[in-house]
Amino acid sequence: MNTAGRGTYEITNEVQALVHEAATSVGLCHVFVAHTSASLTITENADPDVRRDLEVFFADLVPDDDARYAHSAEGPDDMPAHVRSVLSQTNLTVPISGARLLLGTWQGIYLWEHRQGKHQRRVTITIQD
């Protein structure tokens, strides 16, 4: 998946389509992002202010270009992106019933890009009966 820079990218529909295609009646869906500067989250998908507020919180918690960081091989957002990834999560597991993800009413699955620039991210989805 391609990202346009820091922010959240909803992938719920893509994951649900794979679950539907697998026709799993009862099982688990595991989602994994294979990167150290991006993560995954399940959060509200009705009000975009929730995701904006999460970005504001993380910007305060883990600011870019912090002089304490020795690692800056790829720029001032490099180490902060690694910290953000460690503080969030790189995998999620969602139950399946009737070939549907059992997400709550306002829940969506998001790839959370922690770098400022465009990146290509690899997301692996495993469905188990």
Side-chain angles (χ1 to χ4, degrees):
M1 122 166 258
N2 293 320
T3 67
R6 185 171 284 163
T8 52
Y9 299 83
E10 188 166 12
I11 61 171
T12 311
N13 290 340
E14 291 87 344
V15 176
Q16 178 55 59
L18 291 171
V19 168
H20 180 75
E21 183 180 314
T24 300
S25 57
V26 175
L28 295 173
C29 177
H30 183 256
V31 185
F32 174 75
V33 60
H35 299 279
T36 61
S37 56
S39 59
L40 298 164
T41 188
I42 294 176
T43 193
E44 181 172 331
N45 63 1
D47 185 352
D49 284 345
V50 171
R51 294 184 318 277
R52 185 197 64 79
D53 291 346
L54 287 169
E55 281 296 334
V56 169
F57 177 79
F58 261 54
D60 288 344
L61 186 65
V62 188
D64 287 344
D65 208 15
D66 192 316
R68 294 176 293 175
Y69 301 138
H71 177 75
S72 62
E74 297 176 17
D77 68 334
D78 190 15
M79 188 60 207
H82 294 306
V83 173
R84 290 169 184 233
S85 179
V86 168
L87 292 175
S88 44
Q89 53 195 340
T90 57
N91 69 91
L92 303 168
T93 302
V94 181
I96 299 169
S97 180
R100 299 226 20 104
L101 294 167
L102 292 181
L103 292 168
T105 302
W106 306 114
Q107 288 183 319
I109 301 171
Y110 291 85
L111 174 89
W112 196 352
E113 175 63 65
H114 299 301
R115 297 298 306 272
Q116 293 286 356
K118 298 177 183 178
H119 284 81
Q120 186 171 355
R121 301 304 189 179
R122 183 169 44 116
V123 177
T124 301
I125 299 162
T126 307
I127 300 164
Q128 192 168 19
D129 286 329

